[in-house]
Amino acid sequence: MNILNYLQRIGRALMVPVATLPAAAILVGVGYWIDPTGWGADNELAALLITSGNAILDNMGMLFAIGIAYGMSKDKDGAAALAGLIGFIVVMKLCSPAAVAMIKGIPIEEIPKAFSKINNQFVGILVGVFSAELYNRYSSVELPQALSFFSGRRLVPILNSFLMIVVSFILMFVWPIVYDWLVAFGESITNLGSVGAGLYAFFNRLLILIGLHHALNSVFWFDVAGINDIPNFLGGQKSIEAGTAVMGITGRYQAGFFPIMMFGLPGAALAIYHCARPENRAKVAGIMMAGAFAAFFTGVTEPLEFSFMFVAPVLYVLHAIMTGISVYIAAAMHWIAGFGFSAGFVDMLLSSRNPLAVHWYMLIPQGLVFFCLYYVVFRFTIKKFNLMTPGRELSATNETDGYDIDMAKKESNSAGSIQEKAHQYIAAVGGSDNLTNVDSCITRLRLSVNDSSLVNEQLVKHLGASGVIRLNKQSVQIIVGTRAELISNMMKEILKTGYVAAAKVTLKSEADVLVEKEDEPAGKPILTLIAPVTGELVKLEDVPDEAFSSKLVGDGIAIRPTSNIIFAPVAGTVVKIFDTNHAVCIETDSGIEIIIHIGIDTVSLNGTGFERLVEEGEKVKIGHPLLKLDLDYLNAHAKSMVSPVIISNIDDYVGVKILTKGNVIANKSDLFQVMQ
């Protein structure tokens, strides 16, 4: 697993403990509302609520250890969470100042300050990761009969208690160095003052693209680098008295998000609506209104952000810049409010009685200014550069009308149910055969797949998703909104109980009928492919595999080969050769992705009959040999030797124009053109 995927696993696991913050925010917020001057001293109920909320905030390190151990475990079992808890307790005890002084044989006064700060979220994350890895590796271990009671999941907490002794010993020497570095980093950002807050907000938005914003947030919002902005803010008077909060400073890494989420993004939504084509405005209005409502009241912004993140990246960069500016302004003016979940109206209301909420009401006029700014900037940019934001696409490329989807639905499913939706998403991402793991965070399905090119982005969006992110060939994220966890859990249940086939999609819009009649797409050719092998042409619709015949994985044509060498039909880079050597993927310098798939179901031959002549990452010219075939063996053992040659990212172009019929000769016959 590459480092990006691993960091994303940690990022989504962080959502488990972070999900407890709204509870703390509500308890503390309501407590301050009841007793705004005494903060619990003058009202028993307020004291009960504030103390209850602080119980969560004061133990965030432990919650991180438990939550990450659970969230990163392979089957989300309670034994992993227990291992995280035991591991954290062991580390806290062994790395306490008294224990370190006794073990090292030095006076407690000489113990580095770092050990008085050992109970923090950074150590919680560290313990949680170790605990999860231990669980994933040893939860299925079977001990001898005499010790069989301790086999499997019961073994993990025991092993973790011993592992944490080793970790604690290492921390006794390493933690002071790490702590000093983290504090220095936090102080460097803090020393930048309002500018540092603005830079943080800018990168916070940019990292949403790859799902690593949670990792960045943990540095500024929690006690990873000594900043701890959210717990210190929610602590209110208690934080002030403890010297961990400063009026007008604590909360500056949160406050400037309120004008953006409550006002700025709704302004962007209005601009996108006004820029949509008249015939599409009714549809766009529903999408934008739902997204704006979620952003304003709850601070959940992904549905809006993903509506323009990929179709108009320049808008997203402008959005990130304006977010940084907003956070900078709020921090510089000492207009402070905080949140336990996100920067929406509910959190603003709850934080308004917090003694650390300084001039919080000024965030409202700031928000109104940003509403106008977002509207003007978005509308001008969309019009000026003719950006294809939602509703601006031509009707000829819009598949929402006449979409006929055979999802192999279960009769017991009712329309719109979570179960039906989950079943549809499984089919849309390539079915059970393509889906290897399902997970989620607040608004995203985080999926591991065998081949991300099999994910039908158009169909996924038709099901209601705001966006699809292909991180690499095996990792896909689908933005579905706040029902992500419900859909994810149901997808897991469906996969346990039965097989789901890949979706069969038929486009029946008027535009598609016109294209079929014209027999060729409009536009100009930007690439011509030559025949990669000698043989007989077969229409893609006649390929005996639904994934290809339905054009679910791309558009092109197929060849029944009669020669034994597969040549490169274009110049480019070999980005993928399957381990069984039955398929090759080439990407041109302009980004066009070509897949040559030799035969149908030939993956089951485990490489027999194929000889690789190039390697992944190799640059090839037109006519460069790619594969050598044993045609006698393949014709005898393959289900079919009809071999599709397709453009896998055809959605980025108008279509393909077939140039010949009948038979083709390798390296001589023009096959088809990609049109733009």
Side-chain angles (χ1 to χ4, degrees):
M1 176 178 291
N2 61 47
I3 187 65
L4 176 62
N5 284 345
Y6 198 80
L7 287 174
Q8 287 172 339
R9 284 184 60 202
I10 295 175
R12 63 176 177 258
L14 279 171
M15 291 298 94
V16 178
V18 168
T20 63
L21 281 177
I26 291 171
L27 291 169
V28 173
V30 173
Y32 284 133
W33 265 87
I34 295 174
D35 188 7
T37 57
W39 306 295
D42 300 328
N43 186 283
E44 292 80 1
L45 179 59
L48 175 66
L49 295 175
I50 293 172
T51 304
S52 299
N54 286 332
I56 296 174
L57 299 175
D58 293 343
N59 291 285
M60 287 304 297
M62 180 185 294
L63 293 176
F64 271 48
I66 297 170
I68 289 180
Y70 172 82
M72 292 184 67
S73 63
K74 59 186 178 182
D75 54 4
K76 306 296 183 291
D77 191 83
L82 179 61
L85 173 61
I86 290 174
F88 189 80
I89 292 172
V90 170
V91 172
M92 289 303 101
K93 188 65 176 178
L94 290 179
C95 289
S96 65
V100 173
M102 181 176 63
I103 293 170
K104 288 189 172 184
I106 58 178
I108 194 169
E109 294 80 12
E110 298 179 14
I111 297 299
K113 181 183 177 182
F115 291 103
S116 65
K117 298 287 187 178
I118 194 69
N119 187 350
N120 62 75
Q121 289 91 334
F122 178 85
V123 174
I125 293 171
L126 183 69
V127 172
V129 169
F130 275 118
S131 303
E133 290 301 325
L134 198 68
Y135 177 85
N136 292 339
R137 184 179 293 268
Y138 295 107
S139 60
S140 301
V141 169
E142 194 169 330
L143 297 177
Q145 185 66 31
L147 301 173
S148 59
F149 177 80
F150 300 104
S151 294
R153 295 181 177 91
R154 295 189 183 97
L155 178 65
V156 178
I158 300 172
L159 290 178
N160 202 38
S161 64
F162 290 105
L163 175 63
M164 288 304 119
I165 295 174
V166 178
V167 171
S168 298
F169 180 77
I170 295 172
L171 284 175
M172 288 180 190
F173 300 94
V174 175
W175 173 240
I177 300 171
V178 174
Y179 176 80
D180 289 343
W181 183 88
L182 289 171
V183 170
F185 172 74
E187 288 177 347
S188 67
I189 295 296
T190 303
N191 291 337
L192 290 175
S194 304
V195 174
L199 287 173
Y200 153 68
F202 171 74
F203 287 108
N204 167 279
R205 291 296 94 184
L206 287 187
L207 287 176
I208 283 181
L209 176 65
I210 54 176
L212 293 181
H213 56 299
H214 299 308
L216 180 68
N217 291 343
S218 66
V219 174
F220 292 90
W221 288 352
F222 304 111
D223 196 11
V224 171
I227 298 175
N228 206 29
D229 205 46
I230 288 181
N232 283 346
F233 179 87
L234 294 178
Q237 185 63 27
K238 178 183 175 182
S239 298
I240 295 172
E241 293 172 353
T244 57
V246 179
M247 300 283 286
I249 300 297
T250 301
R252 66 180 171 186
Y253 298 104
Q254 307 167 63
F257 285 102
F258 285 96
I260 299 300
M261 297 182 178
M262 291 176 60
F263 299 97
L265 282 171
L270 183 62
I272 291 172
Y273 166 75
H274 282 160
C275 291
R277 296 177 178 275
E279 65 271 21
N280 293 332
R281 283 184 179 170
K283 175 187 68 176
V284 173
I287 298 171
M288 293 297 113
M289 285 181 64
F293 183 88
F296 180 85
F297 280 98
T298 69
V300 174
T301 58
E302 278 90 342
L304 280 181
E305 288 171 322
F306 278 92
S307 71
F308 61 83
M309 180 185 291
F310 297 105
V311 296
V314 65
L315 290 180
Y316 195 78
V317 173
L318 291 172
H319 164 52
I321 292 171
M322 288 188 284
T323 301
I325 293 171
S326 176
V327 173
Y328 165 77
I329 292 173
M333 300 301 294
H334 303 293
W335 298 339
I336 302 297
F339 48 78
F341 175 66
S342 191
F345 175 77
V346 173
D347 274 287
M348 175 177 273
L349 188 65
L350 287 172
S351 73
S352 61
R353 290 294 187 97
N354 190 310
L356 288 167
V358 180
H359 304 306
W360 62 270
Y361 48 84
M362 292 303 297
L363 295 173
I364 297 175
Q366 180 184 337
L368 294 174
V369 171
F370 270 86
F371 177 90
C372 298
L373 181 63
Y374 265 73
Y375 179 82
V376 171
V377 169
F378 269 60
R379 182 161 186 168
F380 171 81
T381 308
I382 292 169
K383 293 286 189 179
K384 177 70 174 178
F385 299 103
N386 193 29
L387 301 178
M388 291 295 105
T389 48
R392 287 179 60 79
E393 65 275 5
L394 293 171
S395 58
T397 62
N398 184 357
E399 71 283 346
T400 55
D401 294 329
Y403 227 124
D404 180 22
I405 308 169
D406 178 9
M407 302 300 295
K409 298 177 184 177
K410 297 182 179 180
E411 293 181 2
S412 61
N413 290 346
S414 60
S417 69
I418 293 293
Q419 185 176 13
E420 182 179 18
K421 187 70 69 176
H423 196 277
Q424 291 173 340
Y425 275 119
I426 295 173
V429 299
S432 301
D433 291 337
N434 194 43
L435 191 57
T436 60
N437 187 60
V438 180
D439 212 331
S440 66
C441 65
I442 293 176
T443 58
R444 309 181 189 200
L445 298 175
R446 297 175 181 254
L447 310 178
S448 297
V449 295
N450 291 318
D451 186 355
S452 62
S453 66
L454 298 181
V455 177
N456 185 346
E457 184 169 344
Q458 290 182 343
L459 179 52
V460 167
K461 288 184 176 179
H462 175 74
L463 294 174
S466 303
V468 177
I469 307 173
R470 290 181 173 89
L471 294 166
N472 52 48
K473 293 292 183 182
Q474 283 80 41
S475 297
V476 177
Q477 296 181 0
I478 299 176
I479 316 305
V480 298
T482 53
R483 295 200 301 171
E485 186 173 3
L486 294 175
I487 295 174
S488 170
N489 291 338
M490 186 56 68
M491 288 173 71
K492 293 175 186 176
E493 291 299 318
I494 292 172
L495 290 171
K496 288 179 183 177
T497 56
Y499 176 82
V500 179
K504 177 181 178 181
V505 182
T506 306
L507 298 178
K508 296 183 179 179
S509 67
E510 181 180 351
D512 294 308
V513 175
L514 290 174
V515 168
E516 291 175 3
K517 289 181 179 179
E518 292 171 1
D519 198 34
E520 63 180 44
K524 62 179 181 179
I526 58 173
L527 180 69
T528 300
L529 284 75
I530 65 167
V533 66
T534 300
E536 176 189 357
L537 286 182
V538 177
K539 289 183 178 180
L540 206 59
E541 293 86 345
D542 297 331
V543 173
D545 186 304
E546 189 175 64
F548 292 107
S549 62
S550 65
K551 301 185 179 180
L552 184 64
V553 294
D555 200 2
I557 201 165
I559 304 173
R560 184 178 285 109
T562 57
S563 62
N564 68 336
I565 300 294
I566 305 297
F567 299 94
V570 295
T573 302
V574 179
V575 294
K576 178 70 176 178
I577 303 180
F578 287 79
D579 294 338
T580 51
N581 296 328
H582 73 288
V584 180
C585 305
I586 299 176
E587 183 176 358
T588 68
D589 291 340
S590 61
I592 300 175
E593 299 169 1
I594 299 96
I595 297 178
I596 306 170
H597 193 285
I598 308 304
I600 302 302
D601 289 344
T602 43
V603 65
S604 62
L605 300 179
N606 296 318
T608 305
F610 301 93
E611 180 182 349
R612 182 183 301 197
L613 303 179
V614 292
E615 295 297 331
E616 288 186 9
E618 189 172 336
K619 293 275 189 179
V620 296
K621 295 181 179 179
I622 295 178
H624 191 290
L626 303 175
L627 298 173
K628 184 177 181 180
L629 312 180
D630 182 347
L631 281 180
D632 291 337
Y633 177 86
L634 292 173
N635 284 324
H637 294 86
K639 173 182 176 181
S640 169
M641 277 304 291
V642 173
S643 304
V645 181
I646 60 171
I647 307 299
S648 60
N649 60 339
I650 194 62
D651 292 340
D652 297 336
Y653 306 95
V654 173
V656 300
K657 179 181 179 181
I658 307 301
L659 299 177
T660 187
K661 297 180 180 180
N663 295 309
V664 291
I665 300 174
N667 282 335
K668 291 186 178 181
S669 304
D670 288 339
L671 198 60
F672 62 82
Q673 293 177 326
V674 180
M675 311 298 287
Q676 187 174 50

